[in-house]
Amino acid sequence: MKEMLKLDLSRSLVETQDLNAFKEESETLKKKLWSEEEDFTGWVRLPFSYDKNELKRILDTAEKIRKQCEVFVVIGIGGSYIGARAAISALAAGAGPVPEIYYAGQNLSGTYHKELLEEINGKEFCLCVVSKSGTTTESSVAFSILKDELYKRYGREEAAKRIYAITDAKKGVLREEADIEGYESFVVPDDIGGRYSVLTAVGLLPIAVAGIDIEELLLGARRAAERIFSPERKGGNTPNAEQMDDASLLAAARVSLLNRGVPVEVYEYYEPRLQYFAEWLKQLFGESEGKNRNGIFPAALQFSTDLHSMGQFLQDGNRIFFETVLNVLDPPEDMIVPESAGKLLAGRSMNSINQAAVQGVIAAHESEGIPIIKLEILSLTPYCFGQMIYFFETTCALSGYLMGVNPFDQPGVESYKSEMRKVLQGK
Ligand code: PA5
């Protein structure tokens, strides 16, 4: 079986003994995760236990949506949106026509939503509203605007056939409305939090509508889980403690660097298709680790563009960061540079020049003593992307635990929501 990810810690400036210091604790934490006894750890065994009937319903619904509309608007914020966008941006759509996909509710901008309505004007459209709580202000506002538009265009009864809801099984106003109005609906499992939910209907329905093979995505995640929780075993039993797996190694390296006083991680990517994957990483790590005045601040830079701005800071500025390079070895497309580009570049493939940039940047930053972690990503396929999702989810859970925080809650996010409500109520 092809391994799609390769972790390289050789330039991380973390010594083997520092990594080994976390070995025992990581194994204990993996057992804790695998037991799924902790709250919000339902994602750990998900790739092994996925409900086949639910998967079929997602695939059938996606097929129906593809025939029903030219535009599919996904409404949600944070974990209820960014995973789907990350996958849809990174992976080429599958065979056959797929609707244009738009996103709403991830900001409160009247300009953005007005322009969105103008953009979809005259096109057949459907909505997918995703909110575990069903009460998030941003999603609620966007849903009411777009639902209003559906009512105007199609009437309430037809509109209900164009609304797909993904929310809690029992609680919340969205669940109530979905049941009363008869929307086709899916459940965000109780034991899976927003930022770990991309492999549930939250991510899978929009990703499937985009024509991406979600079964391959789940297979990739399963392969990553097998490698992390037991290199030898296919599901079941307890994790193998023989050797540290890559997620434990990466978690150990990150925490070692933090303990050494390096509080910022910069994710660097050279394929623009990874822009939203980097956003997903920022959410996953930022919301999971940033607690009790602790955590690594996640940042993301797109190269080459940011080399011509932030590259200066990286090379020469305040040493508060380490770098995690996401290097795609075999991108989906390539081009040969024409003769007119001159002797040095003519006839080369763009991807080979991009790889020269990867190597050049690493050499320049290594010479300055910056800790560099590299993750080689073989290709951008659903199978590989499934591995990436699961690998980073587990790394994040382990890192959070090793830092002594709960990687599955987000009390800080709740604070802003209640303060905003007070402002709206004029208090
Ligand atoms: O990871 C999380 O839990 C959050 O980012 C939520 O997904 C986000 O706040 C949206 O919440 P909800 O799905 O309840 O609308």
Side-chain angles (χ1 to χ4, degrees):
M1 191 158 328
K2 256 196 195 161
E3 301 313 344
M4 309 303 280
L5 305 178
K6 197 170 150 240
L7 179 68
D8 177 0
L9 295 178
S10 61
R11 299 176 192 84
S12 68
L13 307 182
V14 181
E15 303 297 331
T16 309
Q17 71 255 28
D18 295 329
L19 297 171
N20 276 338
F22 290 100
K23 185 171 164 178
E24 228 178 281
E25 199 179 345
S26 299
E27 287 306 320
T28 308
L29 291 173
K30 273 166 46 179
K31 285 183 187 143
K32 176 160 129 171
L33 285 174
W34 190 258
S35 74
E36 289 192 346
E37 277 164 12
E38 296 293 305
D39 284 349
F40 298 112
T41 51
W43 56 274
V44 177
R45 296 195 192 200
L46 190 67
F48 298 96
S49 61
Y50 211 95
D51 179 345
K52 289 202 171 54
N53 294 329
E54 156 115 337
L55 193 59
K56 180 162 183 330
R57 195 160 72 87
I58 291 174
L59 288 165
D60 291 346
T61 306
E63 184 61 38
K64 180 173 139 199
I65 293 168
R66 278 201 295 270
K67 290 187 184 133
Q68 196 179 22
C69 61
E70 297 166 282
V71 163
F72 184 60
V73 184
V74 181
I75 302 168
I77 191 166
S80 286
Y81 134 87
I82 195 73
R85 189 167 196 173
I88 293 167
S89 306
L91 305 169
V98 296
E100 285 177 77
I101 303 204
Y102 289 92
Y103 303 91
Q106 77 281 18
N107 62 59
L108 284 166
S109 162
T111 308
Y112 178 93
H113 287 86
K114 184 100 194 279
E115 285 172 354
L116 174 64
L117 286 182
E118 279 160 15
E119 193 72 43
I120 66 176
N121 189 23
K123 296 177 186 165
E124 292 287 335
F125 81 104
C126 294
L127 301 181
C128 177
V129 54
V130 192
S131 179
K132 184 170 181 173
S133 62
T135 57
T136 302
T137 307
E138 289 84 347
S139 321
S140 304
V141 169
F143 183 41
S144 69
I145 289 170
L146 284 145
K147 188 170 52 177
D148 215 47
E149 180 68 16
L150 272 184
Y151 281 7
K152 276 190 219 144
R153 281 213 222 162
Y154 304 102
R156 189 166 178 150
E157 205 176 308
E158 173 60 22
K161 295 182 190 146
R162 292 170 174 266
I163 297 174
Y164 299 85
I166 306 177
T167 188
D168 190 88
K170 298 192 187 86
K171 312 186 287 288
V173 287
L174 183 56
R175 168 51 58 203
E176 227 170 88
E177 179 176 330
D179 291 346
I180 291 170
E181 300 288 335
Y183 305 152
E184 173 92 57
S185 70
F186 294 87
V187 165
V188 188
D190 264 352
D191 57 352
I192 302 183
R195 58 194 175 276
Y196 292 83
S197 69
V198 54
L199 297 176
T200 71
V202 170
L204 294 183
L205 180 66
I207 296 170
V209 170
I212 293 161
D213 189 338
I214 56 172
E215 286 167 296
E216 277 290 297
L217 200 73
L218 286 168
L219 276 177
R222 185 183 170 122
R223 179 63 191 146
E226 284 168 359
R227 274 174 53 101
I228 292 166
F229 287 96
S230 168
E232 313 304 334
R233 178 185 45 80
K234 304 232 189 297
N237 307 325
T238 49
N240 181 340
E242 292 289 300
Q243 211 187 336
M244 274 174 96
D245 64 277
D246 283 354
S248 301
L249 284 169
L250 181 53
R254 297 177 76 253
V255 178
S256 298
L257 288 163
L258 177 66
N259 292 347
R260 211 192 284 171
V262 194
V264 177
E265 177 170 27
V266 183
Y267 292 103
E268 298 168 356
Y269 56 96
Y270 292 73
E271 285 297 330
R273 278 187 179 203
L274 287 184
Q275 178 184 356
Y276 286 97
F277 182 67
E279 291 301 311
W280 179 80
L281 286 172
K282 274 162 57 183
Q283 192 219 350
L284 179 67
F285 283 94
E287 205 172 18
S288 299
E289 294 180 348
K291 287 157 203 168
N292 311 337
R293 305 286 180 269
N294 202 344
I296 296 171
F297 183 92
L301 296 176
Q302 184 180 132
F303 289 170
S304 285
T305 184
D306 288 328
L307 284 172
H308 294 256
S309 53
M310 293 298 288
Q312 171 61 36
F313 190 104
L314 297 174
Q315 190 74 38
D316 221 8
N318 198 344
R319 279 300 151 69
I320 50 171
F321 62 90
F322 62 96
E323 301 177 26
T324 298
V325 183
L326 306 171
N327 185 27
V328 180
L329 294 178
D330 189 12
E333 305 288 349
D334 201 357
M335 289 190 80
I336 299 297
V337 180
E339 287 306 312
S340 56
K343 211 168 153 208
L344 183 66
L345 303 171
R348 291 183 191 257
S349 82
M350 280 196 82
N351 288 340
S352 72
I353 301 172
N354 211 10
Q355 283 305 312
V358 174
Q359 286 178 34
V361 171
I362 288 177
H365 294 183
E366 194 182 4
S367 70
E368 286 295 326
I370 298 164
I372 300 168
I373 292 169
K374 190 167 159 206
L375 186 73
E376 303 223 295
I377 298 166
L378 192 62
S379 59
L380 288 181
T381 58
Y383 182 74
C384 185
F385 203 77
Q387 289 200 11
M388 288 157 65
I389 290 167
Y390 194 91
F391 170 73
F392 278 109
E393 284 179 346
T394 315
T395 300
C396 180
L398 292 171
S399 296
Y401 279 143
L402 291 175
M403 286 173 200
V405 300
N406 175 357
F408 304 119
D409 64 1
Q410 54 281 329
V413 177
E414 301 311 320
S415 312
Y416 111 81
K417 289 182 188 171
S418 70
E419 289 299 325
M420 182 166 87
R421 226 166 281 131
K422 279 189 215 161
V423 177
L424 289 171
Q425 290 162 348
K427 286 185 186 164

